[in-house]
Amino acid sequence: MDDDQRRVEFVLVPDCADTRLFIELSSHAADLTEAREALTLALSASAGNTGLPGGVERSLIANAVMAYCRTFFASKVRTPVTSFVQVPEELVATHDLVARFRNRTIAHSQSDLSVTYPIGILDAKTLNVLDVSAPTVCNTMPTEQVNSFITLIDEMRRRLDDVIEPIRDRLKAMLTDADRAALVERGPRPNADLLQAQAFAHPATRSPYPRSHPLYLSGSPHP
């Protein structure tokens, strides 16, 4: 049987300190990947190279900022990524800019990057009042800073990969020494817990060694 037809088995690597650390660091890597993908789409959208609607780059950049900041802001279930890898000195200014942008504009509305004006609309001839409106003018991160942000993410991901790889090697060695037949036959598998959409309002805190994940179903439950 050639490699293209090879059948594989998926098993959960047994629970241990290295496994939990591998999960934690890989979770950080997933957030960095999400941020990178959002910024790439934002640049493509601003250049008119996608079918995305105009102006969507602001939302994509906001998503990238939140995904990146999740990796180093305080969390009850995850150690900040900066406990494992340091921000490159030459990119500290970009890191700080992203954090300020998150704090003052994305997570909270404090900066002049989002300004609302009270505008009265008058009839041009009579000056009678027609309406009062409140347009909001928003700015997002300029392309130059987006490119620096991408460089920062790429470097943080490279450094994180350097930390992850030795742990991956240790887990592969542990799995080699394990009773793999028993893991295939009786070991737990990742499992989806089917929940109704109403349960989405009360998400549970995730486990450091998960065995399942929620999958929410829309519509009425089956009788």
Side-chain angles (χ1 to χ4, degrees), residues 87-100 145 148 152:
V87 177
E89 183 176 351
E90 67 275 14
L91 293 169
V92 167
T94 299
H95 173 88
D96 291 343
L97 180 148
V98 172
R100 289 195 303 272
Q145 276 73 32
S148 294
L152 169 62

Side-chain angles (χ1 to χ4, degrees), residues 20-34 67-68 70-72 78-88 151-170:
R20 295 185 177 215
L21 183 57
F22 183 71
I23 291 169
E24 183 176 6
L25 295 177
S26 298
S27 172
H28 282 307
D31 282 342
L32 293 176
T33 297
E34 178 183 342
Y68 176 77
R70 281 199 303 268
T71 67
F72 64 88
R78 196 170 65 172
T79 306
V81 71
T82 46
S83 298
F84 305 100
V85 296
Q86 295 303 307
V87 177
T151 300
L152 169 62
I153 291 171
D154 287 346
E155 181 58 25
M156 291 296 285
R157 181 58 196 264
R158 185 191 67 77
R159 293 183 175 209
L160 188 58
D161 285 344
D162 287 343
V163 177
I164 290 174
E165 283 311 305
I167 303 170
R168 190 195 310 274
D169 290 340
R170 293 198 297 271

Side-chain angles (χ1 to χ4, degrees), residues 5-161:
Q5 297 175 314
R6 178 181 296 164
R7 180 176 174 273
V8 299
E9 295 281 357
F10 294 99
V11 298
L12 279 175
V13 179
D15 189 4
C16 69
D18 263 349
T19 306
R20 295 185 177 215
L21 183 57
F22 183 71
I23 291 169
E24 183 176 6
L25 295 177
S26 298
S27 172
H28 282 307
D31 282 342
L32 293 176
T33 297
E34 178 183 342
R36 180 65 156 82
E37 290 173 347
L39 292 177
T40 300
L41 280 173
L43 290 178
S44 294
S46 64
N49 295 331
T50 72
L52 297 172
V56 74
E57 58 266 28
R58 177 170 170 262
S59 296
L60 289 167
I61 291 171
N63 180 78
V65 168
M66 294 301 289
Y68 176 77
C69 289
R70 281 199 303 268
T71 67
F72 64 88
F73 275 29
S75 168
K76 293 181 179 179
V77 299
R78 196 170 65 172
T79 306
V81 71
T82 46
S83 298
F84 305 100
V85 296
Q86 295 303 307
V87 177
E89 183 176 351
E90 67 275 14
L91 293 169
V92 167
T94 299
H95 173 88
D96 291 343
L97 180 148
V98 172
R100 289 195 303 272
F101 187 41
R102 181 265 184 197
N103 288 343
R104 294 182 54 80
T105 304
I106 306 302
H108 308 281
S109 183
Q110 299 175 354
S111 78
D112 62 359
L113 295 176
S114 178
V115 174
T116 301
Y117 291 100
I119 300 296
I121 303 173
L122 310 180
D123 182 275
K125 289 186 178 180
T126 66
L127 300 185
N128 289 336
V129 175
L130 301 178
D131 202 356
V132 173
S133 182
T136 298
V137 179
C138 297
N139 281 288
T140 192
M141 192 179 290
T143 300
E144 290 83 354
Q145 276 73 32
V146 170
N147 286 325
S148 294
F149 190 8
I150 289 175
T151 300
L152 169 62
I153 291 171
D154 287 346
E155 181 58 25
M156 291 296 285
R157 181 58 196 264
R158 185 191 67 77
R159 293 183 175 209
L160 188 58
D161 285 344

